[in-house]
């Protein structure tokens, strides 16, 4: 697999897996407005997936489509960050995960707008407006709940403590990142860490939440070497229909 194809799968799998996770809230959110907002966020992410995996299928050149890549690959073939595949747990946990990902996502897309590959730059520019809104909303919610009641503060701090060990993987560069950075396709993700830490620190300070001191990072999602046990269960649900009825059409 080429480094460029691997990069496209990483971008598309991040939005696909997180989009499905967020869609699990549809019909279950605490209030109607949040239910609609979460559903819209999920749709935005799935829409971005269509672009990333569509380009990946084109680059692969094996006659597969974005749908084939989404619904007919196994766990070991997915290249998403571990953070995106973690279960929703409660509303606060979901929005904390969304904020931690949105911050990285906006920084990455902003840099990709200057990609040497025109197709990558076009996707990034189209997605950036949506992701900027996602970040604004998730940051406001984290602040509102963190600086809210005693109970909401405790839940948001617990969510941050649980999710923080999954943040570091988004910034760990490997051979794929190095090769694509040399070609000007993307940026070395480690270059985003300083800005990420600044933004997260500002939001957490306003939310009266304390960022854990540890820099330990779970890893294995971006290269497919070790996903969590949760991804397989999620794919079993997400992929059931197209695998059981391969020729099904709406």
């Amino acid at each position: 697999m080429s480094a460029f194809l691997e990069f496209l799968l990483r971008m598309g799998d991040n939005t696909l897996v997180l989009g499905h996770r967020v869609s699990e809230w549809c019909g279950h959110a605490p209030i109607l407005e949040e239910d609609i907002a979460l559903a819209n966020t999920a749709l935005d992410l799935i829409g971005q997936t269509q672009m990333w995996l569509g380009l990946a299928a084109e680059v692969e050149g094996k006659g597969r489509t974005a749908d084939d890549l989404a619904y007919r690959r196994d766990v070991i073939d997915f290249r998403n960050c571990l953070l995106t595949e973690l279960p929703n747990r409660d509303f606060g946990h979901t929005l904390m995960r969304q904020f931690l990902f949105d911050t990285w996502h906006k920084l990455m897309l902003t840099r990709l707008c200057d990609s040497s590959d025109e197709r990558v730059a076009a996707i990034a520019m189209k997605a950036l407006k949506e992701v900027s809104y996602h970040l604004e909303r998730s940051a406001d919610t984290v602040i509102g709940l963190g600086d809210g009641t005693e109970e909401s503060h405790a839940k948001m701090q617990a969510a941050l403590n649980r999710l923080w060990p999954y943040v570091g993987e988004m910034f760990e560069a490997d051979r794929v990142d190095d090769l694509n950075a040399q070609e000007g396709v993307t940026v070395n993700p480690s270059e985003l860490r300083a800005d990420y830490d600044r933004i997260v620190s500002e939001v957490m300070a306003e939310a009266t939440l304390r960022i854990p001191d540890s820099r330990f990072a779970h890893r294995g999602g971006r290269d497919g070497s070790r996903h969590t046990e949760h991804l397989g269960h999620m794919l079993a649900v997400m992929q059931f229909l197209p695998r059981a009825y391969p020729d099904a059409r709406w």
Side-chain angles (χ1 to χ4, degrees):
M1 185 187 302
S2 71
F4 185 44
L5 176 56
E6 186 101 8
F7 159 73
L8 295 172
L9 291 175
R10 289 177 179 183
M11 294 300 295
D13 287 347
N14 276 336
T15 52
L16 172 64
V17 172
L18 185 58
H20 183 84
R21 276 292 185 225
V22 176
S23 77
E24 293 172 349
W25 274 101
C26 189
H28 301 280
I31 59 174
L32 183 58
E33 185 177 356
E34 289 297 337
D35 201 297
I36 294 171
L38 287 167
N40 282 332
T41 299
L43 283 172
D44 289 343
L45 292 170
I46 298 301
Q48 293 166 29
T49 301
Q50 183 78 31
M51 294 188 286
W52 288 120
L53 293 189
L55 180 55
E58 178 184 326
V59 169
E60 183 187 48
K62 294 183 178 179
R64 295 202 288 184
T65 66
D67 284 348
D68 293 329
L69 293 175
Y71 296 122
R72 298 181 185 179
R73 284 184 296 150
D74 293 327
V75 170
I76 59 173
D77 298 320
F78 274 74
R79 296 294 184 266
N80 57 283
C81 295
L82 297 176
L83 177 69
T84 62
E85 67 193 50
L86 299 177
N88 292 328
R89 292 182 177 271
D90 56 33
F91 180 73
H93 187 275
T94 298
L95 267 296
M96 179 62 77
R97 183 189 60 199
Q98 191 68 38
F99 168 71
L100 295 174
F101 179 79
D102 288 343
T103 305
W104 172 87
H105 203 193
K106 183 179 179 181
L107 290 171
M108 175 59 80
L109 290 175
T110 300
R111 297 292 292 272
L112 291 180
C113 289
D114 296 322
S115 173
S116 60
D117 189 288
E118 293 181 354
R119 298 165 297 181
V120 170
I123 294 174
M125 285 187 277
K126 190 169 185 177
L128 185 57
K129 184 177 180 180
E130 294 172 346
V131 172
S132 297
Y133 170 73
H134 295 172
L135 176 57
E136 180 180 345
R137 178 177 173 276
S138 61
D140 285 347
T141 307
V142 166
I143 292 170
L145 292 175
D147 192 26
T149 67
E150 183 177 344
E151 180 181 4
S152 70
H153 175 85
K155 286 189 173 182
M156 295 307 285
Q157 185 63 60
L160 178 59
N161 294 345
R162 179 179 291 276
L163 294 168
W164 191 249
Y166 294 92
V167 164
E169 184 189 18
M170 295 189 288
F171 303 96
E172 292 202 345
D174 60 10
R175 180 189 62 83
V176 172
D177 299 303
D178 292 340
L179 290 173
N180 284 306
Q182 289 169 14
E183 297 293 327
V185 172
T186 182
V187 62
N188 188 311
S190 62
E191 296 180 19
L192 306 176
R193 188 65 198 252
D195 285 340
Y196 183 91
D197 286 343
R198 177 182 54 78
I199 295 169
V200 171
S201 294
E202 290 173 356
V203 170
M204 294 308 161
E206 196 168 348
T208 68
L209 298 173
R210 186 181 64 81
I211 299 174
D213 295 330
S214 174
R215 282 276 182 164
F216 170 77
H218 293 288
R219 57 180 65 86
R222 297 179 78 237
D223 61 11
S225 62
R226 188 172 60 182
H227 284 283
T228 69
E229 62 181 306
H230 309 296
L231 182 60
H233 294 288
M234 195 204 87
L235 293 182
V237 174
M238 189 184 81
Q239 296 180 335
F240 169 75
L241 189 63
R243 282 182 179 266
Y245 305 97
D247 298 322
R249 294 288 184 274
W250 288 106

